[in-house]
Amino acid sequence: MSATISRLKPAASVSKSVDFSNLDFDNCPVRDLLNHIGGKWSTLLMQALAEKPYRFGELRRMVPDISQRMLTQTLRDLQRDGYIHREVFPTKPPSVEYSMTPLGQALYRPLLEVINWALDNHDAVKEARQRFDAEV
Amino acid sequence: MSATISRLKPAASVSKSVDFSNLDFDNCPVRDLLNHIGGKWSTLLMQALAEKPYRFGELRRMVPDISQRMLTQTLRDLQRDGYIHREVFPTKPPSVEYSMTPLGQALYRPLLEVINWALDNHDAVKEARQRFDAEV
DNA sequence: CCGTATCCGGCTTGATACTG
DNA sequence: CAGTATCAAGCCGGATACGG
């Protein structure tokens, strides 16, 4: 592992520095985070919970093609990273409500920028793909 | 597949609408995009190329633990989606330069917000994990 | 120098069945 | 209702060898 490129270039760069020397998932925050929210269901659930809290079964119905196993696991991962809060109400039968934490809301702000970009530019990407596939 | 939640809520929401009815990767721009940049190497290469164009071998040296196979494949995927441009110089032996396209630069702007958030909040996430793991 | 082809192990995901 | 347990399938990513 070696080499570092500066993000604090003289001119137009706004960012900090990209360190290419410690790229393990544990040491690289970016890869660590993107590896999680890049999962198959994470962002979808973040979008749902960004609006308002939901219960397990509600989420299950909102995302019909998710398996119970993956819903549980994804929610647990998001909870573990501190993005969502899990509250058990001792009703009978018990109900569990999931809601965004302040940290999750903070993450959702920049994440929403990417989401909106994706929505706005999906056609451009699809066209690029068609061009690429055509010439090969 | 069913259900749609509005992103145009009366109050503080800035966004469009999250459609939970068509969630196939082909139809859902967000999942489509995040599925790609969530890959193991994509964001890393985007960060490198956001700074300036690089040649294949340079990228290989910058990210020492990437295999040649994955470097080729990731670059191909990014090129296919229209984020980066691939230019072959008929030198001897041939050299290939990769550079960001306008589309790639456009994507990198919101992506950088997420990257910076990750850098700023990695400690908070790690603490949340420790708390979670401790109580279980 | 810049790739492709092939093989293969492991993690992620899904289906199904079962519990408090 | 809200999970857990178990097992099997599939894709991702890595190692290696070869080609233009």
Side-chain angles (χ1 to χ4, degrees):
Chain A
M1 303 258 194
S2 60
T4 301
I5 62 174
S6 167
R7 278 210 275 158
L8 275 176
K9 304 284 291 196
S13 185
V14 205
S15 44
K16 296 163 185 179
S17 72
V18 183
D19 186 2
F20 285 86
S21 56
N22 248 349
L23 299 173
D24 321 279
F25 279 93
D26 288 341
N27 290 321
C28 178
V30 183
R31 292 182 65 176
D32 185 21
L33 183 143
L34 282 169
N35 189 38
H36 280 75
I37 66 166
K40 195 170 179 180
W41 308 103
S42 310
T43 316
L44 219 47
L45 295 175
M46 288 286 279
Q47 286 182 83
L49 294 174
E51 195 206 359
K52 70 183 194 68
Y54 281 108
R55 291 182 32 201
F56 187 88
E58 292 177 314
L59 291 169
R60 187 155 164 57
R61 280 185 293 277
M62 290 172 76
V63 189
D65 54 344
I66 194 174
S67 67
Q68 209 167 20
R69 185 186 181 287
M70 276 300 107
L71 182 54
T72 302
Q73 187 172 305
T74 307
L75 288 170
R76 253 170 146 285
D77 289 347
L78 293 175
Q79 183 195 359
R80 189 174 108 95
D81 283 7
Y83 303 143
I84 66 178
H85 174 70
R86 177 179 183 269
E87 180 129 22
V88 182
F89 295 98
T91 57
K92 210 167 50 167
S95 68
V96 181
E97 189 181 85
Y98 293 90
S99 57
M100 288 276 247
T101 62
L103 190 68
Q105 288 170 6
L107 167 60
Y108 193 67
R109 214 182 305 268
L111 194 57
L112 186 57
E113 300 289 313
V114 175
I115 290 172
N116 283 328
W117 190 92
L119 293 170
D120 293 339
N121 296 88
H122 196 221
D123 287 343
V125 172
K126 285 197 295 188
E127 284 169 18
R129 277 181 204 163
Q130 286 178 0
R131 275 196 302 276
F132 184 88
D133 294 341
E135 76 194 22
V136 180
Chain B
M1 306 257 191
S2 60
T4 300
I5 62 173
S6 167
R7 277 209 278 158
L8 276 175
K9 304 283 292 195
S13 185
V14 204
S15 44
K16 294 165 186 178
S17 72
V18 182
D19 186 2
F20 284 85
S21 57
N22 249 348
L23 299 173
D24 321 279
F25 280 93
D26 289 342
N27 290 322
C28 179
V30 182
R31 295 182 63 176
D32 185 20
L33 184 142
L34 282 170
N35 190 39
H36 279 73
I37 66 166
K40 194 169 179 181
W41 307 104
S42 309
T43 316
L44 220 46
L45 294 175
M46 288 286 280
Q47 286 181 83
L49 294 174
E51 194 205 357
K52 72 182 193 68
Y54 281 108
R55 292 185 30 205
F56 187 89
E58 292 177 313
L59 292 169
R60 188 154 163 56
R61 279 185 293 277
M62 289 172 75
V63 189
D65 54 345
I66 194 174
S67 67
Q68 208 168 21
R69 184 186 182 283
M70 277 300 108
L71 181 53
T72 304
Q73 186 172 302
T74 307
L75 288 170
R76 284 259 258 132
D77 289 346
L78 293 174
Q79 183 195 359
R80 189 174 107 95
D81 284 6
Y83 302 143
I84 66 178
H85 173 70
R86 177 179 184 270
E87 180 130 23
V88 182
F89 296 97
T91 56
K92 212 167 47 166
S95 67
V96 181
E97 187 181 85
Y98 294 90
S99 57
M100 287 277 247
T101 62
L103 190 69
Q105 289 169 4
L107 167 60
Y108 193 67
R109 214 183 307 265
L111 194 57
L112 186 57
E113 302 288 316
V114 175
I115 289 172
N116 283 329
W117 190 92
L119 293 170
D120 292 339
N121 297 87
H122 196 220
D123 287 343
V125 172
K126 284 196 295 189
E127 285 169 18
R129 276 180 203 164
Q130 285 178 1
R131 276 195 301 275
F132 183 88
D133 294 341
E135 76 192 23
V136 181

